Amino acid sequence: MGTDAPRLTRRHPFWRFLGVLLAIVVTLALIVAVLGFWTVTRSFPQTTGTLAIPGLKSAVEVRRDDAGVPQITASSAHDLFLAEGYVHAQDRFWEMDFRRHVTAGRLSELFGKSQLGTDEFIRTLGWRRVAEQEVKRMDATSLSYYTAYADGVNAYLKGHKGADISLEYAVLGLQTPGYTPEKWTPADSVAWLKAMAWDLRSNLEDELDRAVLATTLSSAQIAQLHPAYPYDAHPTITDAGGGDAGRVAPSAAPAAATSASSSSANNAGVQGDEAHDVASLASSVQASAAEVPALLGINSDDIGSNSWVVAGSHTATGKPLLSNDPHLGPAAPSIWYQVGLHCEKVTATCPFDVAGFSFSGLPGVVIGHNDHIAWGFTNLGPDVTDLYLEKLNGTGYEYDGKVLPFTTRKETIKVAGGRPVTMTVRSTLHGPVVSGGAYDTVVKSHVKSSGDIPGGKYALSLQWTALTPGTTAESIFTLDRATDWQGFRDAARQFDVPAQNLIYADTKGDIGYQAPGVIPIRKQGDGTTITPGWTSAYGWNGFVPFDQLPSVYNPASGYIVTANNAAVGPSFPVDITRDWDAGYRADRITHDLKKLIASGTKITSRDMSKIDADTYDANAAALVPILKKAPLDEGTRTAVDLLSHWNYHDDTDSAAAAYFNIFWRNLLHDAFARKLPKGAVPVGGDRWFHVVGTLVKDGDSSWWSDEKLGVGSRDEMFAYAADQAYHEAVRLMGPDTSQWRWGDIHTLEVTNQSFGASGIAPIEWLFNRGPYELGGGSSVVDAVGWDASQGYQVNWVPSMRQVIDLNDFDDSTWINLTGDSGHAFNPHYVDQTPLWQHNRTRAWPFTADAVDKATQDTLTLTPTTTAS
C-alpha cells in the first residue's frame, strides 16, 4: 500500500498563514465598511437637539414625522424662510447644487467636456441671465424671502464641506478633486423655475416634429399624424368657446374622427413637400433640446398631470375635495420636497401657515394648501414658443428688406480637466439662434403669401416667453398667503411662465379654475410650424390679457377636471394652442366622477384616490374588438384570447395588459415608424391613441399597407403586429401565457439625476433604486408612462399624489415618489416609494395638534450669540 497523503492540521503553517491572511482581509474589509458607512452617513442631517444658526432672529422649531418630513415653525417670515433654506440644504444640497449648474450652463465644471453641448445650449438660451434680471426687478418683500432662504443655505454650507454635505461630493472628488460649492444666491433659486418652464414649454416638440415629417410626408399626411383635439368626444376644462366640460366618450369605442385638415395643413408658415433643409435645422435643435430635460430627470413627449376638484354638494363632508398628481420624469430623489411652513402667529408681517410640495432650492410651497385654500397644478400647455427661419446675409440677417446685425455676447465655459471654452451667442429680434449657426442650404419650401424662398443661408431662432423677465418667482408667496378666490387669482396673475391650469378650493366651500400665463398673440399663423423670420408680417403682437384667459368659479356641475385637455372649445376667441393633450385621462376622470354622482354616492377622499389609481386603457377598448377579428395563426390566437374577458385595465398582474401593450408597440412600429423619418418615430401616448383610433375607421388607409411586410389592409396589419407581439412576449416572459404579467416588463428604476446613468455599475448601485413593478400606462389616469419607441420601462410617473380635504385639513393625504431625503442611504431616501408603487398615500398632519402627535424628532434652531 502506498503512504497516506499528508494532512493539514490546524497547527500546520499553511493554516496559520491562511488565518493571518483572512484576519488581514477581514480587518481591511471592516475598515473599508466602517469608513464607507461613515462616509455615507456623515452627511445625514441632525434632526434633534439644538443648532445655532447665524442670521436667525429668534428660535425656530423643525419637527419631523416618521417619514422625515419637516414642519417648520417660526415667529417671523425671515426666520421661516431662512430655516427652510437650512433644512433644504440639510436634505438636498447636492441636488440643489447640481440643478444650479444645469440652469447656469455649468455642468462642464463638474463633469468635464462631455457636458459642453448641453452647457452651450443652455448658455444660448440664457436661463441664468433672465433669472438675474428677475431678481433685480423683484419686489422688496419677495426679495427679502429669497435672501433669507439663501442665508439659511449658506449657514449650512459654512459648517459642512465635501462628503459632509452629501455622498455625491465624495464620488465627484474622484473625477474633479478640489471642488467646493459656491455660496447660494437668490438667482440660483429663481433659475430653477426656468428649467421647469423649459420642461413644460408646450408644443415646441410638435413644431419640430412637423418640420421633420415634412421631409417625406404631404401636409395632409402630417395632419393625420397631428390631428385636432376631439371636441366631439372628449371634455374641455371649461364650457367657453363651445366647449363641454361634461362630455365623455362612449365606453369601448374609438374616438370620433376629426377632419384630415388640421392646423398643420392650414398654417401660414414655412411649408412644402421638399422641406429637407428646414428639417435639417429642426433636427439639430431637436437633438440639442432633448439633452436638457433628460439631465433634469423630467424628459418625456407625453408628460401631463391630473387635477380635479369636487364641490361639497357631491362630497360626504359637505366641503370640497381636491386631488392632484403632476406627471414628470422619475428621479432619485424625487423632484418634490414635502414641507410645512408655519408662522407662530399669522399676521400681516408673517402671513404663512402652509404645507405641501416644494422644490429644493426654492423657498415656499409650490403645490398644497394653507389654512384657508387649497390648489393644484396641471400644465396648460399654451403655445409660448416659436421657431423662426432667419435668412442670413453676410454677418447679419434680413428683416423687412434690411440687413440687421446680430446681438452677440461671449460666454466662457470652464471645463473640469480641460481648458475653458469661449462661445459666441447670436440673437435676432426674435430671440437666440439655436440651430448652431449658418447652414449652406437651399431651402425649397413654399411660404403662403410670401412666395418661394430663394437660395441662401439660414438659421433657426427661438422666441419663448420664459426668456423675458417675469414674476412667477414672486407668485409663489402670493399663492401661499392667499385666503380667498381673489387672492388666488392675484397669484395666478403673477404666474406667467410656465402657464399652468390652476384649480382651487376653499374652506367656505368654493371651487374654481384659472388659466394664467403670458400667451402670445400672433400676427399670422397658429404657431404649429416654423415661421418666416425675415418679415414683420409674422411674429407676436402682444399678449392675451389675463382677464380674457379661461376661468370658472363654482360651476353648476359641482366639479372641475383638468388633465392637460383643451381648456376651451374651438370657437374661443383667443388661440391658446392647437396642440392640446387629446383628453383621454380627462375623459376617464370625468366619467368616474359622473358615475359616482349619478349613483347618489357622496364622494370621499378614498374615492378620489381610487379615481387616481384608475388603470382603464381607452386605447385598448378601441382596438381590441378589431384585433380579435383579425386573421391569426394558432400561437397568436392563444395570446389574443387573453383579451376576450379583459376589462381593459393595465393592472400589474394582468397577462392581457402585457400582451396588448406589446401589440400596441409593434403596431406603432410596423404601421408607422417604418415609414417615418428618424426623429419622428411614434412614442405612444395620447396623440397616437387619437391617430390610430381615427385611422382604424378606414380599413384601407395607406398607413395600413406595407409591401415589404406583405400586408395591404388594417386587418392584415393588425394580424402581422399581433404575431410579432406574440413572439416578443414569449421572448420576454416565456411560452406560458398564464404566467405573463404587465408588471414583469413595466418596471421603474428610480435613477439619480447626476450619477444614476454614469455607466459605472458600483456608482449606479450607490444611488439608484429598483426595479419596481408597476401597473398603469401612458394616457391612462394612473399615468405610469412608457416610450413605445424604446421599450416598456417606465419613464414618467405621477411624481406625487395629494388629496386635500377642505373640511378638515388633517384628513388630507399625500405621497411622494421617493422620500424627502437626498442622501442615498438615509432611511428617508425612498421610504415612500413602496406606498407610492401600490397607489397608497400617507396621513398629512397640518394643525398644531396633529403635527405634535406625528412628531418623532424635534430640532431647535437658535440665533448665534456674540460674545461681549
Side-chain angles (χ1 to χ4, degrees):
M1 292 181 63
T3 60
D4 291 336
R7 299 181 64 185
L8 300 179
T9 66
R10 289 180 181 272
R11 295 185 178 183
H12 193 279
F14 172 79
W15 289 114
R16 290 198 297 271
F17 167 76
L18 184 59
V20 172
L21 181 62
L22 285 172
I24 293 172
V25 170
V26 170
T27 301
L28 288 173
L30 287 171
I31 292 172
V32 170
V34 170
L35 288 175
F37 180 76
W38 178 72
T39 299
V40 166
T41 60
R42 62 196 273 200
S43 62
F44 289 4
Q46 179 178 337
T47 59
T48 60
T50 302
L51 278 174
I53 306 298
L56 280 181
K57 298 176 182 178
S58 300
V60 175
E61 273 200 342
V62 181
R63 290 173 290 179
R64 294 180 185 253
D65 64 11
D66 60 346
V69 174
Q71 301 285 341
I72 305 172
T73 305
S75 60
S76 69
H78 169 273
D79 285 356
L80 189 65
F81 291 117
L82 190 149
E84 186 184 19
Y86 189 90
V87 170
H88 273 172
Q90 277 188 309
D91 285 327
R92 297 278 191 103
F93 185 75
W94 166 261
E95 178 185 53
M96 295 162 61
D97 198 16
F98 175 72
R99 284 176 174 176
R100 71 168 163 182
H101 279 80
V102 173
T103 57
R106 296 174 55 190
L107 282 175
S108 299
E109 292 182 22
L110 299 179
F111 304 109
K113 63 181 180 180
S114 65
Q115 300 304 313
L116 266 175
T118 299
D119 284 348
E120 288 172 348
F121 187 72
I122 292 176
R123 294 286 184 104
T124 297
L125 297 183
W127 293 353
R128 173 74 185 200
R129 291 167 53 86
V130 179
E132 290 172 348
Q133 293 173 45
E134 290 185 357
V135 170
K136 290 179 180 178
R137 299 182 181 199
M138 195 175 287
D139 69 83
T141 300
S142 296
L143 181 58
S144 73
Y145 297 158
Y146 278 97
T147 301
Y149 180 89
D151 289 344
V153 176
N154 293 328
Y156 178 78
L157 292 179
K158 187 175 181 180
H160 299 80
K161 294 181 180 180
D164 292 333
I165 302 174
S166 193
L167 174 62
E168 284 89 343
Y169 289 102
V171 177
L172 180 67
L174 300 175
Q175 175 180 334
T176 311
Y179 171 77
T180 301
E182 300 170 354
K183 286 187 175 183
W184 194 262
T185 69
D188 293 326
S189 296
V190 175
W192 175 243
L193 293 173
K194 297 304 170 185
M196 290 303 300
W198 175 255
D199 171 60
L200 302 173
R201 61 195 177 276
S202 68
N203 76 330
L204 180 61
E205 275 66 37
D206 293 292
E207 191 171 334
L208 291 166
D209 188 67
R210 290 182 177 100
V212 173
L213 289 173
T215 61
T216 59
L217 303 183
S218 68
S219 58
Q221 290 173 313
I222 295 172
Q224 288 180 316
L225 300 188
H226 283 271
Y229 186 79
Y231 289 104
D232 54 354
H234 290 167
T236 51
I237 297 172
T238 73
D239 294 334
D244 186 345
R247 177 176 286 125
V248 293
S251 298
T258 56
S259 170
S261 176
S262 86
S263 56
S264 63
N266 295 305
N267 182 45
V270 175
Q271 306 203 354
D273 294 333
E274 299 179 332
H276 292 270
D277 300 311
V278 176
S280 69
L281 296 177
S283 295
S284 71
V285 179
Q286 201 174 42
S288 297
E291 289 299 314
V292 181
L295 284 165
L296 297 175
I298 46 180
N299 183 26
S300 166
D301 290 328
D302 198 34
I303 281 176
S305 301
N306 302 324
S307 191
W308 68 97
V309 61
V310 181
S313 57
H314 298 313
T315 69
T317 66
K319 288 292 177 70
L321 292 168
L322 184 150
S323 180
N324 190 199
D325 58 295
H327 308 155
L328 299 169
S334 164
I335 192 172
W336 299 107
Y337 184 94
Q338 293 155 285
V339 67
L341 303 172
H342 310 280
C343 292
E344 287 181 5
K345 184 178 180 180
V346 175
T347 64
T349 56
C350 193
F352 301 101
D353 189 13
V354 60
F357 295 87
S358 68
F359 293 138
S360 66
L362 188 74
V365 167
V366 177
I367 296 177
H369 71 83
N370 59 31
D371 53 339
H372 291 281
I373 74 168
W375 62 92
F377 289 2
T378 65
N379 195 26
L380 175 63
D383 188 349
V384 295
T385 59
D386 275 334
L387 287 168
Y388 293 85
L389 188 66
E390 306 285 5
K391 189 177 190 313
L392 308 183
N393 190 324
T395 59
Y397 64 100
E398 295 186 9
Y399 188 76
D400 281 348
K402 298 179 181 179
V403 178
L404 302 181
F406 288 103
T407 300
T408 62
R409 70 175 189 273
K410 298 286 186 182
E411 295 276 352
T412 300
I413 303 172
K414 296 179 181 179
V415 182
R419 294 181 177 180
V421 173
T422 299
M423 61 176 292
T424 300
V425 177
R426 301 181 303 166
S427 297
T428 71
L429 290 171
H430 301 116
V433 173
V434 292
S435 58
Y439 283 70
D440 293 325
T441 59
V442 178
V443 183
K444 301 176 181 178
S445 299
H446 178 73
V447 182
K448 292 182 178 180
S449 75
S450 297
D452 293 333
I453 301 173
K457 298 179 180 180
Y458 291 86
L460 288 176
S461 67
L462 173 68
Q463 189 170 20
W464 177 31
T465 55
L467 299 185
T468 300
T471 54
T472 300
E474 299 162 62
S475 72
I476 303 300
F477 307 119
T478 308
L479 185 57
D480 284 356
R481 62 177 177 249
T483 59
D484 55 21
W485 172 245
Q486 187 55 54
F488 173 79
R489 293 192 79 230
D490 289 343
R493 194 181 298 272
Q494 293 177 301
F495 204 107
D496 42 28
V497 178
Q500 300 289 287
N501 293 306
L502 306 182
I503 63 166
Y504 167 91
D506 63 36
T507 55
K508 296 177 182 178
D510 301 309
I511 65 172
Y513 161 81
Q514 178 65 55
V518 176
I519 300 174
I521 300 171
R522 291 174 175 83
K523 298 176 183 177
Q524 287 193 54
D526 57 19
T528 59
T529 58
I530 295 173
T531 301
W534 54 85
T535 168
S536 59
Y538 296 86
W540 296 355
N541 189 25
F543 302 94
V544 179
F546 177 79
D547 290 329
Q548 292 182 23
L549 293 172
S551 184
V552 174
Y553 187 58
N554 290 331
S557 65
Y559 63 84
I560 302 168
V561 175
T562 81
N564 315 109
N565 51 315
V568 294
S571 61
F572 192 72
V574 174
D575 193 1
I576 297 174
T577 185
R578 299 295 179 91
D579 289 310
W580 304 104
D581 178 280
Y584 290 88
R585 286 176 288 108
D587 179 79
R588 184 63 180 180
I589 295 168
T590 304
H591 166 275
D592 289 348
L593 287 175
K594 293 181 73 172
K595 184 177 179 180
L596 286 170
I597 293 169
S599 71
T601 301
K602 290 297 185 178
I603 297 172
T604 66
S605 178
R606 185 181 296 273
D607 292 325
M608 299 285 276
S609 292
K610 286 181 179 178
I611 293 173
D612 210 14
D614 191 343
T615 60
Y616 177 79
D617 189 334
N619 187 46
L623 302 186
V624 165
I626 299 171
L627 176 57
K628 289 194 295 187
K629 296 177 182 179
L632 304 170
D633 62 31
E634 183 176 351
T636 305
R637 173 58 63 186
T638 302
V640 173
D641 283 347
L642 293 170
L643 309 177
S644 295
H645 302 289
W646 184 34
N647 62 0
Y648 305 129
H649 282 258
D650 288 331
D651 294 330
T652 307
D653 59 357
S654 172
Y659 177 69
F660 175 78
N661 282 296
I662 296 173
F663 161 76
W664 171 239
R665 179 171 182 252
N666 279 271
L667 181 67
L668 290 177
H669 176 269
D670 297 334
F672 300 96
R674 287 168 47 84
K675 304 170 185 176
L676 300 179
K678 183 180 179 181
V681 295
V683 299
D686 68 285
R687 177 163 69 90
W688 286 97
F689 283 18
H690 188 19
V691 168
V692 176
T694 301
L695 290 174
V696 293
K697 296 177 182 298
D698 180 3
D700 296 320
S701 168
S702 60
W703 288 108
W704 305 125
S705 299
D706 191 312
E707 291 184 4
K708 292 183 179 180
L709 298 181
V711 299
S713 68
R714 179 199 65 190
D715 291 348
E716 290 178 1
M717 181 61 77
F718 269 50
Y720 182 85
D723 183 62
Q724 297 299 305
Y726 169 69
H727 292 295
E728 182 181 353
V730 170
R731 290 195 301 273
L732 291 173
M733 297 177 289
D736 185 352
T737 60
S738 68
Q739 298 301 307
W740 293 356
R741 297 174 69 256
W742 177 223
D744 284 345
I745 58 175
H746 188 55
T747 60
L748 167 67
E749 182 173 8
V750 185
T751 304
N752 183 270
Q753 295 171 312
S754 48
F755 291 109
S758 65
I760 304 172
I763 291 178
E764 292 182 2
W765 174 86
L766 286 174
F767 298 110
N768 298 346
R769 298 294 182 270
Y772 299 94
E773 295 183 354
L774 295 169
S778 301
S779 295
V780 303
V781 179
D782 186 15
V784 183
W786 52 285
D787 186 334
S789 69
Q790 298 179 10
Y792 309 101
Q793 293 76 26
V794 173
N795 59 5
W796 59 94
V797 297
S799 56
M800 62 81 158
R801 299 184 179 103
Q802 66 172 19
V803 177
I804 302 175
D805 187 337
L806 276 296
N807 180 64
D808 185 347
F809 286 122
D810 291 331
D811 288 337
S812 303
T813 61
W814 60 351
I815 197 72
N816 206 346
L817 170 64
T818 57
D820 256 10
S821 179
H823 301 292
F825 291 91
N826 187 279
H828 305 306
Y829 187 56
V830 289
D831 57 334
Q832 297 186 53
T833 306
L835 292 172
W836 173 93
Q837 177 186 15
H838 296 291
N839 286 289
R840 296 171 61 190
T841 53
R842 291 176 46 82
W844 183 351
F846 176 71
T847 64
D849 287 344
V851 169
D852 283 342
K853 291 178 182 178
T855 296
Q856 293 208 347
D857 292 327
T858 300
L859 174 67
T860 301
L861 306 179
T862 62
T864 54
T865 56
T866 303
S868 57

